[in-house]
Amino acid sequence: MKNFNLERFIIYSVGIWLLLIPSFAAIIAKEEGTLGTNIIWIAFEKLFYILRFPLHTIIQAFGFIIDAKIYFLGVLINCLFYSLLIERLISFLKLYTKK
């Protein structure tokens, strides 16, 4: 983590949070049956399953019930995880292309 760029990490975190807001709204609309057939909202609905992946999938696999505080804390951790993953991947690609 020698070339870690905090500014990029924060930008990616904010970007993922901005993607999470409409995807959360789309999943609520799907559960209520009001999503419709708009391709953008369906894409946001599918994106929600990707953004909740590491932590919520593991927790639900063990059958734990999560309340709202733990749920949103898990979403925050997932977003930070994806931000770190993207930042490290971009740093690696920049380093790799320089050589």
Side-chain angles (χ1 to χ4, degrees):
M1 300 256 296
K2 177 173 70 170
N3 297 330
F4 183 76
N5 190 337
L6 183 63
E7 184 179 324
R8 266 194 287 181
F9 175 75
I10 292 171
I11 290 170
Y12 298 147
S13 296
V14 169
I16 291 174
W17 267 103
L18 290 176
L19 284 175
L20 187 67
I21 293 168
S23 68
F24 194 68
I27 201 71
I28 290 172
K30 181 183 182 222
E31 289 178 0
E32 290 180 355
T34 59
L35 184 63
T37 58
N38 188 341
I39 190 81
I40 295 171
W41 285 110
I42 291 173
F44 276 126
E45 183 250 330
K46 302 297 181 193
L47 180 66
F48 181 76
Y49 292 111
I50 294 170
L51 292 177
R52 73 178 201 110
F53 168 64
L55 197 57
H56 289 98
T57 305
I58 292 169
I59 289 174
Q60 287 180 347
F62 289 113
F64 294 117
I65 298 173
I66 18 182
D67 64 344
K69 291 179 213 173
I70 295 174
Y71 185 82
F72 286 111
L73 180 66
V75 168
L76 174 68
I77 292 170
N78 288 342
C79 287
L80 293 175
F81 171 73
Y82 279 121
S83 300
L84 181 68
L85 192 67
I86 292 169
E87 196 280 329
R88 291 286 76 206
L89 182 66
I90 300 244
S91 293
F92 175 73
L93 289 174
K94 282 188 174 186
L95 183 68
Y96 184 72
T97 55
K98 283 183 180 179
K99 291 183 179 182

